[in-house]
Amino acid sequence: MKPDISVVIPVYNEADNLTELFSRLMSTMDKLGRPYEVIFTNDGSKDDSGKILRDFFKQRPDEVRVIDFNGNYGQHIAIIAALERARGKMVVTLDADLQNPPEEIPKLVAAIDAGHDSVGGKRMGRQDSFFRKYASKLLNVIRERCTDIKMSDQGCMLRAYSANVVDAIIRTGERSTFLPALAYKFSANPGEVEVEHAARAHGQSKYSLYKLIRLNFDLITGFTLLPLQMFTLFSVACAAGSFVLVLILFYMRIFLHDNTNGVFTLFAILFFLISVAMIGIGLIGEYVGRAYQSVQQRPRYNIRELIEKNADA
Ligand code: UDP
Ligand code: MG
C-alpha cells in the first residue's frame, strides 16, 4: 500500500542513538494509525550505524527502507536522496540524535493535513551550546535581511513537506543547498509549529565550526546575490572616496607644498582597500565554485546499497 507519510532521517555515526530513536519513532507512527514508511540514509557512517539500520529493516521490512551511501555527502544531500525515493503524500524530516523528539511528528502531520504545504518546527527551549544558540539567532537575522525567506527557525530540521513541494525540491538538482529555504521557495502556504527540543542524547554534533560556516554560505549564496551586489556598490563608493582623496592630496602638494603628512594614513587606507578586495575575490569564489560544481554534473551522491523490500521493483 502506498504510504501516507514518509519519515526521512539522515544518519552519520549515530549508533548510540538509533535504538531509542527507532522504538520511540515506531510507536509514535504506529499510534497515528496511517500507512507510513521510514527512510534512513546512512551517510557514510564509520561506526555500527549501518549494521543497526539493516537490523531495523529486518525487524520491520514493510515500513523501513535504508539508503546506504558509499561515503559522507552531508545532511542535506542525505535527506535529498531520501526525498527522491519517498512515496508518501507528505514527508517528515528529523535528526537521528533525538534532539527532535519523534513524539512531535503528529503535530507536523496535523499541520499538513490542515492545508499547509510546508511546515517548519520552531524549537522551544532549545538545548544547544550558548554559542550555537546565539550564532543561530544572528544567522536567522542575516537571512531575514538578505533573502525573501521568512521563517523563525531555519536550523530546525524537524519539518514536513507535501509531495508537491518535495517534487519541486528534487527537480532543482542543487548540491550545495539549504533545504528549509528551498522548500519555503516552493510552497504556497508555509506554516510553523512549536516543537520541543532536547539535548543530543549521545555523541557529538557532526557540525564543526567550519561545516557550519560552509552551510550558512550555502544558504546565503543559494538564495541571494545581495553580497555580490553590496560589494559592487561598496566598490563604487570606494572609488568615489579615493577620487576625492586624490584631489585633496593633489591640492595639498601643489598649493600647500605639503607632501610629508599622511603617508601612514595612506597605508591604512591602502590596507583596508586591499582587504576589501580580497573579501570580494573570496565572495566571487563562493559563487563561482558552486557554479563550477554544478556544471561538472557529477551525481550528487552514490548509493552502495538500497536495503528495502522489492528493491528492484
Ligand atoms: N548528519 C548527516 N551527515 C553529516 C552530518 C550530520 O547525515 O555529514 C545527520 C546526523 O546524523 C543527524 C543530523 O544530520 O541525524 C543532524 O546532525 P547534528 O545533530 O550533528 O547537527 P546539529 O544538531 O548539531 O545541528
Ligand atoms: Mg543534533
Side-chain angles (χ1 to χ4, degrees):
M1 197 193 333
K2 214 172 159 242
D4 243 14
I5 306 165
S6 301
V7 180
V8 162
I9 306 179
V11 176
Y12 182 51
N13 295 341
E14 303 283 6
D16 294 338
N17 296 317
L18 287 176
T19 310
E20 184 184 340
L21 169 76
F22 191 61
S23 75
R24 284 170 56 186
L25 173 71
M26 297 312 265
S27 80
T28 306
M29 294 310 294
D30 287 338
K31 266 190 238 145
L32 266 176
R34 292 160 68 157
Y36 70 94
E37 62 179 4
V38 180
I39 311 178
F40 292 98
T41 306
N42 179 19
D43 188 15
S45 299
K46 293 177 191 72
D47 65 359
D48 279 343
S49 298
K51 230 165 73 194
I52 299 170
L53 294 176
R54 193 176 289 269
D55 188 54
F56 291 167
F57 169 71
K58 282 193 194 126
Q59 287 176 43
R60 301 284 299 261
D62 290 328
E63 284 87 13
V64 173
R65 304 166 68 192
V66 180
I67 300 169
D68 194 21
F69 277 179
N70 75 311
N72 179 245
Y73 293 88
Q75 181 184 7
H76 292 245
I77 294 295
I79 295 175
I80 285 190
L83 294 183
E84 288 180 335
R85 284 162 186 80
R87 293 185 280 231
K89 288 185 206 129
M90 67 177 88
V91 175
V92 177
T93 63
L94 75 156
D95 290 348
D97 59 355
L98 293 164
Q99 290 203 273
N100 307 135
E103 292 75 19
E104 299 285 53
I105 293 176
K107 281 192 198 166
L108 294 152
V109 171
I112 296 275
D113 281 341
H116 291 293
D117 53 1
S118 86
V119 182
K122 184 175 169 198
R123 292 170 285 189
M124 306 312 286
R126 188 166 165 199
Q127 303 290 320
D128 272 317
S129 68
F130 180 82
F131 167 75
R132 281 291 294 266
K133 276 196 274 197
Y134 283 89
S136 257
K137 277 200 178 129
L138 177 69
L139 292 164
N140 270 291
V141 172
I142 294 176
R143 186 256 315 138
E144 194 83 24
R145 295 262 164 96
C146 295
T147 70
D148 54 0
I149 294 160
K150 307 265 169 274
M151 58 177 70
S152 338
D153 189 0
Q154 63 194 21
C156 180
M157 291 305 279
L158 179 54
R159 311 188 91 86
Y161 313 110
S162 70
N164 171 283
V165 169
V166 169
D167 199 47
I169 293 175
I170 293 167
R171 275 186 285 130
T172 62
E174 284 181 22
R175 55 189 58 239
S176 343
T177 200
F178 195 92
L179 279 169
L182 202 55
Y184 182 90
K185 280 267 173 208
F186 296 134
S187 69
N189 183 16
E192 285 187 345
V193 293
E194 292 184 351
V195 293
E196 295 290 321
H197 192 243
R200 187 173 238 284
H202 297 279
Q204 282 179 349
S205 171
K206 306 297 180 277
Y207 280 94
S208 58
L209 182 61
Y210 176 73
K211 269 183 155 186
L212 277 177
I213 293 173
R214 303 298 332 147
L215 181 68
N216 282 284
F217 264 108
D218 285 342
L219 171 61
I220 297 299
T221 57
F223 293 90
T224 177
L225 291 177
L226 196 70
L228 285 180
Q229 289 155 350
M230 296 291 289
F231 186 73
T232 323
L233 284 182
F234 185 71
S235 309
V236 172
C238 280
S242 322
F243 184 65
V244 173
L245 190 67
V246 168
L247 288 183
I248 292 171
L249 291 174
F250 192 72
Y251 176 80
M252 280 167 69
R253 183 151 189 180
I254 301 292
F255 295 102
L256 307 180
H257 306 289
D258 173 5
N259 60 357
T260 49
N261 277 338
V263 170
F264 289 103
T265 322
L266 265 183
F267 265 117
I269 294 171
L270 195 66
F271 286 154
F272 172 70
L273 290 180
I274 289 174
S275 59
V276 169
M278 281 163 65
I279 293 173
I281 294 170
L283 203 56
I284 294 166
E286 292 290 336
Y287 285 92
V288 171
R290 283 167 176 78
Y292 175 58
Q293 281 187 334
S294 122
V295 293
Q296 277 179 322
Q297 296 206 331
R298 289 188 194 158
R300 287 185 285 186
Y301 54 82
N302 192 24
I303 297 176
R304 176 164 55 180
E305 190 181 352
L306 270 178
I307 305 157
E308 59 183 18
K309 242 179 154 181
N310 312 322
D312 315 321

